[in-house]
Amino acid sequence: MARVNILIGGPTDQIPVDWETVTGIWIGVDRGSLRLVKAGISPALSLGDFDSIDEEDFQLVQEHSQKVLRVNEHKDDTDTELALKLVQEEFLDAEEVVVYGATGGRMDHLLSNIFAVLQPRFKDLIEKITLIDRQNLITFYHAGNHVIRKQMGYKYLGFVLLTGVTDLNLIDEKYTLDNYSCTYPRAFGSNEFIGNEAHFNFASGIVAAIQSRDLPKV
Amino acid sequence: MARVNILIGGPTDQIPVDWETVTGIWIGVDRGSLRLVKAGISPALSLGDFDSIDEEDFQLVQEHSQKVLRVNEHKDDTDTELALKLVQEEFLDAEEVVVYGATGGRMDHLLSNIFAVLQPRFKDLIEKITLIDRQNLITFYHAGNHVIRKQMGYKYLGFVLLTGVTDLNLIDEKYTLDNYSCTYPRAFGSNEFIGNEAHFNFASGIVAAIQSRDLPKV
């Protein structure tokens, strides 16, 4: 299948309003499974320890999921790691893995979700993964030449060095970089597309690109 | 002075409700300066390019700030970096530097604020800095032996390896670690205090500790 969507049980106020209408199959994790079912979506896989929902809701998840995997609550993996592992095991032909509900709220969860892609076991998935919330669209890259297409509705383009990185070139963005190297993580925010595509490359490390937008000030 | 507070212009819905009552002096950055003045607080320093507020509001900031530093909008530093630089230059005797408004919203800003402490120029400030929002209290550590005191109202304790780290020991937390080393950033969320203090140490790298809590599910 082309696209696998994962709904984690994070704060719902960070999930894009149109999430129910996206294409592809769904994996729900814990409370995320319940949200899928309540939205009329039948998860291809519901997984988690389900300790955050009561037995009645769990029955609902069981009735409406194509497959349920209930794991021990003392698991070694986070919800996101578990979901990515299952994608590797059961959805090998996924071309895109789009994660909803992984941001907002507790910062330990958020950073754990972003840093998950750095684990060697997920190396083959990195460039397939997108984290999406209302303001941000995050993609990940191994060393090499890359092009990012501007997504509608996002103004900014941030480049985040998640590890030490060598020879980073931002070629046709508003602010360019020329063979920039850094031995520690660093985030360059508030860059922008000049055209509809942004080209960049780097020689080693892992980089995230974040398309983002402001919301109205409250 | 014991404590310098910095208010960045991030989303207000992430700022703790009691922020106006904390002790210490205030530095306001851009829109943060205006918020301080409107709350009846006279910033010791208001700084930024002030392009996000109109001229009338800027006059208000000028009238009620002890000092104003207006910088060029095409500056090399982010708001947070600029504020930390000014702390190093003008508030050398600060024992604590507490940053409000640095989280929430755009992920490029958030990661830039968290990763700012990794820059060698801020090395002497790292262990003085706390980032605070409604759900999280983030502190930073160089290699060595450390003790964290449990803050009231926070349930979880996450340890975030912001760089490669060697020989991390979590000694008296709910989940312990024994000489753990990792060559890339990694976040261990959802750990907890057993008592009122948590002891840990590591041999190299930079680690963040995040005390956090859940908010009611929406």
Side-chain angles (χ1 to χ4, degrees), chain B residues 144 164-170 177-182 200-204:
Chain B
V165 160
T166 56
D167 290 326
L168 173 62
N169 294 287
L170 304 182
L177 272 181
D178 196 19
N179 286 102
Y180 178 85
S181 295
C182 191
F200 69 103
N201 62 60
F202 56 105
S204 72

Side-chain angles (χ1 to χ4, degrees), chain B residues 68-121:
Chain B
V68 174
L69 190 67
R70 191 168 198 169
V71 297
N72 191 301
E73 69 166 315
H74 299 292
K75 59 187 189 291
D76 289 328
D77 292 314
T78 66
D79 288 352
T80 304
E81 287 163 3
L82 194 64
L84 294 180
K85 234 169 72 174
L86 265 291
V87 168
Q88 285 178 318
E89 287 169 14
E90 309 216 1
F91 304 99
L92 272 172
D93 52 346
E95 288 163 22
E96 279 185 277
V97 179
V98 185
V99 185
Y100 295 84
T103 62
R106 281 172 49 198
M107 212 58 73
D108 55 342
H109 282 171
L110 167 65
L111 292 173
S112 167
N113 288 334
I114 289 176
F115 289 164
V117 303
L118 301 177
Q119 295 174 32
R121 61 177 168 160

Side-chain angles (χ1 to χ4, degrees), chain A residues 9 12 105-110 112 115 118 120 133 135-136 156 160 162 184-185 187 189-190 212-214 217-218, chain B residues 9 12 105-110 112 115 118 120 133 135-136 156 160 162 184-185 187 189-190 212-214 217-218:
Chain A
T12 45
R106 282 173 46 199
M107 213 57 74
D108 56 342
H109 282 171
L110 167 66
S112 167
F115 289 164
L118 301 177
D133 66 22
Q135 281 186 268
N136 304 282
Y156 304 102
V160 181
L162 291 174
Y184 48 87
S190 301
S212 67
R213 59 183 159 218
D214 291 316
K217 294 275 182 194
V218 288
Chain B
T12 46
R106 281 172 49 198
M107 212 58 73
D108 55 342
H109 282 171
L110 167 65
S112 167
F115 289 164
L118 301 177
D133 66 22
Q135 281 186 267
N136 304 281
Y156 303 102
V160 181
L162 290 174
Y184 47 87
S190 301
S212 67
R213 58 185 160 218
D214 291 317
K217 295 275 181 190
V218 288

